[in-house]
């Protein structure tokens, strides 16, 4: 394989980001000259992105960091109204325009943690595809765009084929999603001289459809496609999913402490890979951490957790989370910076059932789950195992800090604070 000329593709290759590339030599030459303008699209289906989006965000980060070109974060204000069928077994819920706008505003801030926005030539920009999709006239769109896209080819796309093979319904509105995504690429090529679309490997078909559409609609410059792998953990679990739900990037949905804990609990076999993908540590330092064995691997996990959290939430919050964990798990102390859930003070006056308390704290999803955890010795109050499912919390359970510490297992803790 010829030696890569650009730092951008070298880093992505060395760190394990690349799954497919439409023309590696051509893209490498552009990146070496700093002439890449690349975008990734993010639909606004929730008020926060999750760590499944981090791979593509990091690709935009390295594009800018290496001087290879200009990143574009494309908000899917238009495409979210349709719904991407990729990787889905059923139709996405249709959101109101108001909900989409609220979600879009909520997820914007994350990008400022990874990208430099401004007026310089390679500063990142944020664009919303509703700008060109919302005003489209359907008849004109069919005539000017639809005639260039083959239905035969659309039926071979993995996202469509999977649903049809399973005899699962694929609505007409979803079937049009890839056409809209392809049109996004053409619009960005014409408006911003965009020449690269990046995304997860499940987006490959949609991206190359955009390349073909651009050629057919007269885009003068060459367009490229680059995808990253869809990650699973070494045990086969989907990346970013936990028993309690998705690992969100917005602090409103997941605290910096819980985010730190997610990375701290990484499986041993994934530590080296995740250090390469989700931190900016030099690769020689990653290699030293990856070489740690036995109990020492815990130190590598702490570095991973702190560095990954620092990228998203800032160094101060990352180090505070690490210190909270140290105090909680290594010293057995009650750290006031643990996640806190407020309850009414009157709840304790009348006695708050332990089952209800653990559900309110978000440590379990139901009373039934709390009962099962108690039977297995999994729930603790102020570091004492709960033995009686009918027990009630009262003012007497408050610590000197005026809180009650609830724990699920050894690693999940929440403070109940009466107000």
């Amino acid at each position: 394989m010829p030696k890569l000329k650009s730092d951008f593709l070298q880093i992505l290759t060395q760190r394990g980001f690349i799954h497919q590339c439409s023309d590696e030599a051509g893209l490498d030459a552009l990146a070496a000259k700093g002439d890449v303008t690349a975008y990734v699209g993010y639909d606004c289906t929730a008020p926060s992105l999750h760590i499944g989006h981090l791979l593509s965000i990091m690709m935009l980060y390295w594009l800018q960091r290496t001087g290879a070109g200009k990143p574009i974060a494309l908000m899917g204000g238009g495409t979210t109204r349709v719904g991407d069928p990729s990787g889905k077994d059923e139709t996405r819920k249709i959101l109101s325009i108001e909900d989409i706008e609220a979600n879009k505003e909520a997820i914007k801030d994350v990008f400022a943690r990874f990208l430099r926005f401004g007026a310089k030539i390679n500063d990142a920009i944020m664009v919303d595809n509703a700008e060109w999709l919302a005003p489209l006239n359907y008849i004109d769109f069919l005539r000017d765009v639809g005639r260039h896209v083959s239905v035969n080819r659309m039926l071979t796309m993995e996202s469509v084929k999977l649903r049809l093979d399973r005899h699962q319904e694929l609505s007409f509105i979803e079937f049009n999603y890839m056409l809209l995504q392809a049109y996004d690429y053409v619009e960005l090529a014409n408006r911003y001289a965009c020449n690269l679309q990046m995304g997860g490997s499940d987006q490959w078909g949609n991206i190359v459809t955009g390349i073909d559409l651009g050629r057919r609609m007269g885009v003068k410059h060459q367009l490229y496609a680059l995808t990253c792998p869809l990650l699973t953990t070494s045990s086969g679990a989907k990346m970013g999913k936990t028993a309690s739900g998705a690992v969100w990037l917005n602090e409103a949905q997941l605290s910096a402490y819980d985010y730190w804990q997610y990375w701290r609990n990484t499986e041993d076999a994934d530590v080296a890979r995740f250090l390469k993908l989700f931190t900016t540590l030099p690769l020689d330092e990653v290699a030293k951490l990856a070489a740690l064995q036995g109990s020492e691997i815990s130190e590598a996990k702490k570095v991973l957790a702190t560095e990954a959290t620092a990228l998203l939430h800032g160094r101060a919050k990352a180090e505070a989370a690490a210190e909270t964990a140290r105090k909680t798990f290594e010293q057995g102390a009650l750290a006031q910076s643990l996640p806190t859930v407020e309850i009414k003070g009157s709840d304790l006056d009348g006695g708050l059932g332990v089952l209800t308390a653990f559900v309110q704290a978000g440590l379990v999803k139901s009373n039934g789950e709390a009962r099962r955890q108690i039977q297995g010795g999994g729930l603790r109050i102020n570091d004492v195992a709960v033995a009686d499912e009918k027990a009630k919390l009262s003012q007497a359970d408050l610590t000197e800090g005026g809180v009650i510490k609830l724990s699920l297992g050894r690693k999940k803790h929440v403070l109940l604070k009466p107000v």
Side-chain angles (χ1 to χ4, degrees):
M1 175 179 167
K3 179 176 174 58
L4 294 167
K5 301 174 183 177
S6 69
D7 290 342
F8 174 55
L9 285 188
Q10 280 191 48
I11 286 176
L12 291 196
T13 300
Q14 292 167 352
R15 289 182 173 266
F17 281 96
I18 297 179
H19 181 72
Q20 295 160 297
C21 184
S22 60
D23 177 2
E24 187 177 78
L27 181 59
D28 185 43
L30 276 181
K33 294 188 293 184
D35 288 341
V36 176
T37 298
Y39 90 94
V40 180
Y42 301 91
D43 278 345
C44 312
T45 55
S48 173
L49 299 177
H50 53 75
I51 66 166
H53 296 105
L54 263 187
L55 272 182
S56 62
I57 294 175
M58 290 301 297
M59 291 168 84
L60 290 174
Y61 168 87
W62 286 115
L63 175 80
Q64 189 173 56
R65 180 76 175 265
T66 59
K70 184 182 190 72
I72 300 176
L74 179 67
M75 299 292 98
T79 42
T80 308
R81 301 183 195 182
V82 175
D84 183 4
S86 301
K88 296 294 177 182
D89 291 336
E90 57 186 23
T91 302
R92 287 185 185 269
K93 178 184 176 183
I94 299 296
L95 300 178
S96 69
I97 293 176
E98 291 76 18
D99 285 343
I100 292 171
E101 285 299 308
N103 289 343
K104 183 181 73 175
E105 291 303 313
I107 68 178
K108 278 183 176 181
D109 289 345
V110 163
F111 294 95
R113 302 281 185 179
F114 296 88
L115 303 175
R116 182 187 70 251
F117 291 86
K120 296 179 181 178
I121 189 168
N122 280 345
D123 283 348
I125 60 172
M126 184 172 287
V127 184
D128 186 348
N129 62 17
E131 182 180 339
W132 53 83
L133 295 181
L136 282 175
N137 176 287
Y138 187 58
I139 299 297
D140 291 342
F141 184 72
L142 288 179
R143 183 191 64 202
D144 298 336
V145 180
R147 65 190 176 92
H148 295 298
V149 181
S150 166
V151 171
N152 303 65
R153 185 174 182 180
M154 292 170 78
L155 288 171
T156 67
M157 297 299 178
E158 192 64 29
S159 58
V160 174
K161 193 171 181 294
L162 184 65
R163 295 269 283 274
L164 296 180
D165 287 348
R166 293 179 178 178
H167 302 287
Q168 293 165 333
E169 183 175 302
L170 180 72
S171 70
F172 180 71
I173 193 172
E174 291 176 292
F175 192 59
N176 279 273
Y177 185 93
M178 68 179 71
L179 186 56
L180 297 179
Q181 182 173 337
Y183 185 62
D184 282 345
Y185 202 171
V186 176
E187 282 287 336
L188 290 170
N190 289 331
R191 291 172 182 236
Y192 302 102
C194 181
N195 50 18
L196 172 64
Q197 182 181 174
M198 301 189 292
S201 59
D202 61 335
Q203 296 296 318
W204 178 257
N206 291 350
I207 298 174
V208 296
T209 298
I211 292 175
D212 184 60
L213 182 62
R215 178 179 58 82
R216 292 173 182 270
M217 293 188 70
V219 173
K220 301 301 182 185
H221 57 272
Q222 185 172 343
L223 302 180
Y224 299 86
L226 181 64
T227 63
C228 55
L230 294 180
L231 285 189
T232 57
T233 64
S234 58
S235 63
K238 187 174 181 180
M239 180 73 183
K241 293 290 185 181
T242 68
S244 58
V247 181
W248 301 108
L249 302 186
N250 281 17
E251 197 166 2
Q253 278 71 39
L254 187 75
S255 71
Y257 174 80
D258 285 334
Y259 188 78
W260 189 94
Q261 279 295 331
Y262 172 79
W263 296 108
R264 170 62 181 83
N265 294 330
T266 295
E267 296 174 27
D268 291 2
D270 292 324
V271 172
R273 185 167 52 128
F274 290 175
L275 280 166
K276 291 179 183 178
L277 293 170
F278 302 112
T279 80
T280 59
L281 290 175
L283 290 176
D284 57 349
E285 190 171 341
V286 170
K288 291 177 183 177
L289 291 167
L292 297 176
Q293 299 292 324
S295 60
E296 291 183 330
I297 196 70
S298 291
E299 295 306 311
K301 292 181 182 182
K302 292 174 188 176
V303 173
L304 167 63
T306 300
E307 293 302 314
T309 304
L311 267 180
L312 178 63
H313 294 294
R315 180 67 56 182
K317 288 184 178 180
E319 293 179 352
E323 179 63 11
T324 296
R326 186 184 69 80
K327 289 181 178 178
T328 302
F329 306 130
E330 296 176 11
Q331 296 182 353
L334 177 60
Q336 293 295 320
S337 52
L338 284 171
T340 301
V341 173
E342 294 183 345
I343 60 173
K344 295 179 181 178
S346 57
D347 289 346
L348 294 180
D349 294 336
L352 178 62
V354 292
L355 302 182
T356 300
F358 278 90
V359 172
Q360 286 186 3
L363 290 170
V364 295
K365 293 183 178 180
S366 65
N367 287 353
E369 184 182 348
R371 289 190 183 94
R372 290 190 293 274
Q373 289 290 347
I374 289 173
Q375 292 167 5
L379 300 187
R380 304 173 76 85
I381 297 173
N382 293 334
D383 296 323
V384 177
V386 180
D388 181 7
E389 67 178 51
K390 296 182 180 179
K392 294 183 181 294
L393 299 178
S394 68
Q395 299 286 346
D397 293 301
L398 292 173
T399 66
E400 291 182 5
V403 294
I404 301 173
K405 179 184 176 185
L406 304 186
S407 304
L408 170 62
R410 295 176 56 194
K411 297 182 178 180
K412 289 186 176 293
H413 309 274
V414 170
L415 303 181
L416 285 187
K417 182 178 181 180
V419 294

